[in-house]
Amino acid sequence: MTPVEAGSRVIVATLLHSHATTRAARDLIGREGTVVRLIPRGTSTYALVRMDDEIKGFPGQEKWPIQLADLVVISPNQASRHA
């Protein structure tokens, strides 16, 4: 399994592990985005994901904190692959 890191392209597979506020945006499931940065929170780590498309019901919100377990990497960080 490819690790989630800043610059990775991801798809939101589920919202089971993410914060309740994020889980309220059910339309995130199945959407793609790019990880902006990782955010450690206690024993969990979240990815701040800039979504490709606007999420219905949340106009203007581009970035979402999503727990790593809820994401699937579809393309790794290109910069780290060339290093």
Side-chain angles (χ1 to χ4, degrees), residues 2 4-6 10 13 22 24-25 31 34 37 44 47 49 52 54-56 58-61 69 71 73 75 80 83:
T2 305
V4 177
E5 58 186 11
V10 295
T22 301
R31 300 292 183 97
T34 302
R37 68 183 179 106
S44 298
V49 181
D52 293 347
E54 190 171 277
I55 303 304
K56 186 171 125 183
F58 298 88
Q61 185 167 346
L71 299 171
V73 175
S75 176
S80 69

Side-chain angles (χ1 to χ4, degrees), residues 36-60:
V36 175
R37 68 183 179 106
L38 298 180
I39 306 166
R41 291 280 187 243
T43 60
S44 298
T45 301
Y46 289 79
L48 185 61
V49 181
R50 176 178 284 126
M51 304 308 295
D52 293 347
D53 302 311
E54 190 171 277
I55 303 304
K56 186 171 125 183
F58 298 88

Side-chain angles (χ1 to χ4, degrees), residues 22-34:
T22 301
R23 287 194 313 262
R26 302 295 306 165
D27 283 346
L28 282 167
I29 297 173
R31 300 292 183 97
E32 295 181 17
T34 302

